[in-house]
Amino acid sequence: MTALKLAVVGAGPSAFYTVSRILSSLPAASARDVQVHMYDRVPAPHGLVRYGVAPDHPEVKNCINKFDQTAQDPRFSFFGNVLVDPTSTSSDQYPNAVPLPLTSLFPHYTHLLFAQGASQPLLLPMLPQAVAALSLVHWYTGHPAAPSTPPIPIDTIQHLTLIGHGNVSLDIARLLLRAPASLEQYNDLPRPVLHHLEKSTVKHVTIVGRRAPAQVSFTAKELRELMSLPDVSFEPIDSALLNTARTDDRLDRPKKRILDILSTGSKAKFGSTDKAWSLRFLRSPLEWHPGKKQLKLGQNSLTAHGQAEATGDEELFGTDSVVVSVGYRSEPSPGLKAWFDQTTGRIRNSNGRVMDSFGRVVQNVYASGWAATGARGVIAASMHSAYMTADNLLADLQAPVAEAVLSPLATDPLCGVPSPLHAAMGQVAGYDDWRTRAL
Amino acid sequence: MAPRRHTSLRTVPAYAFGPSRSLHTSSVRLHGPIERPPPGTGIKVTFQDSKGNLIKTVEVNEGDNLLDIAHEYDVDLEGACEGSVACSTCHVILRPEDFDRLEEPSDDENDMLDMAFGLTDTSRLGCQVKMRRDLDGLVATLPSATRNMFVDGKKAGKH
């Protein structure tokens, strides 16, 4: 039985839900017995709730109230603007953050939690000139690493193509298509972003996916929202494609409801509005030349297992700009090497317990959220992952996992924070600093 | 961007360990925004776990919703979006007879239920179930707490 001094990498929902579960489960433990230090490479806490959730979805951000409660706990400290386990890429991206090697944490903590999410967008090698959707998301959420101007010239282009049938594509389409006046009510939308959106010339967004209507990753809420915009219409989907999708007897209720929404289409009749959007199915991008404004698409068919298979047929598709949104993986920083699975792009784990490359649990090292499960699911999914990890950490405090690999962390940890931070404390941001001044 | 000085640094308590300590595990919760009726006068609501074990039976007022009720009475039901139908964390499973007495869930509620773990034909969001006199005796089952067991490289096993 040992006391707990936990370092947390990342300050998004999975970090906060794990920590809130741990602290609320140990109400009697004092700050002498239990301490949590949460690190994030940006100055402000809350991760994707702040820099991922669309600014016109403020109700999704209500979970911050719970995070604020956790942050009030005297056993909790937040250290923003600290880049744990830097890479050359992340050091370039966060030049103002204090670099902190992962190994420097080990003597100061008994436990380590990886909750840094999945920040690296998957790219398509055949589209080197396409823009990553993440840069647009960073732009419209006011992320500190984002440029001040939109990463695609929305004030000159008419037609935008998004690659990937997920919620990020729907968020981008919605923000570009809905009337800018309807966005004014959202305080989380940076005003410079709103001013750029007011000058947007985008009239049509096409979202391309390699598979069919029953294989989409976006969710009903985001789809219904886009279908309900008063002055935006949806190009009807070929009914044969929808009928084929419906014949799949493995469809669950969520998929059936999505097919119903797709079939009903938009409230506004296609062609009756100034702005519109379309979904294209069974297409994979092959080539994109911005100068020619032409995207080459390869046609696919669907295998019996629901996978895309190229038919060999190709087509040219006219568009002004191409943005790729096909998923994310965690960043394989050097300190993670023994625990990172290059194939899946996440930290190897068993129900939140980090494992080495031989599949052995590493004592006192944990992961939760997208860093552990891969980048799928909404905040509720990260919450469940976080609670599972927290419950396992708490169980391991009572009875450690048998046959676990010895922890690299301390059993009798040093006081305070790792020494590289001492000289740089002026650069480190506290939990509430973002409220009191622009960071 | 010029991050501000970390004001609380000097107040971070010095970390010190005593001899091996035992950490007591239990849970504390904050209470919700509703009031409890005088005993014996309220509408009865029963919460049970996924295995059908009684958690507790409580008395509530007309109009109270199951999420607020759970929070008032320390029942472990999350409400990440605080009742704004933007998440699925207050998912509960009702008995068919209770489910049928309620109005149909809205499209918005169904959209969120679609993302709930362990969705059933009688699932509802707790925040959308408002209590009425004729629902006296309603039973709300919390979905299973063990979800998507997740192990890399092999099937879920015991530790």
Side-chain angles (χ1 to χ4, degrees), chain A residues 1 3 24-25 33 35 62 65-66 69 78 81 224 253 257 346 349-351 384 387 413 415 425 428, chain B residues 3-4 6 9 15-17 21 25-26 30 78 80-82 110-112 114 117 147 150 152 159:
Chain A
M1 196 65 219
S24 65
S25 300
D33 297 317
Q35 278 190 28
N62 283 343
N65 293 328
K66 179 170 182 139
Q69 275 175 26
F78 173 74
N81 205 37
R224 187 183 305 283
R253 170 187 139 159
R257 295 184 70 251
R346 59 186 186 225
N349 73 99
S350 162
N351 291 326
H384 291 306
Y387 285 173
C415 299
M425 264 308 166
V428 177
Chain B
R4 193 180 147 138
H6 192 271
L9 171 73
Y15 194 76
F17 273 123
R21 288 168 195 280
T25 303
S26 71
L30 292 170
E78 196 77 35
C81 79
E82 303 183 345
N110 274 325
D111 288 351
M112 289 301 126
D114 278 351
F117 292 97
R147 290 137 174 130
F150 184 87
D152 273 318
H159 280 287

Side-chain angles (χ1 to χ4, degrees), chain A residues 355-375:
Chain A
M355 299 191 302
D356 69 10
S357 56
F358 301 102
R360 298 172 302 189
V361 168
V362 183
Q363 235 174 43
N364 297 355
V365 183
Y366 299 85
S368 67
W370 281 5
T373 64

Side-chain angles (χ1 to χ4, degrees), chain A residues 291-313:
Chain A
K292 289 191 200 158
K293 296 192 180 290
Q294 269 186 343
L295 176 66
K296 190 194 276 184
L297 295 172
Q299 295 185 18
N300 300 327
S301 61
L302 209 60
T303 68
H305 301 287
Q307 297 302 311
E309 200 171 55
T311 64
D313 294 326

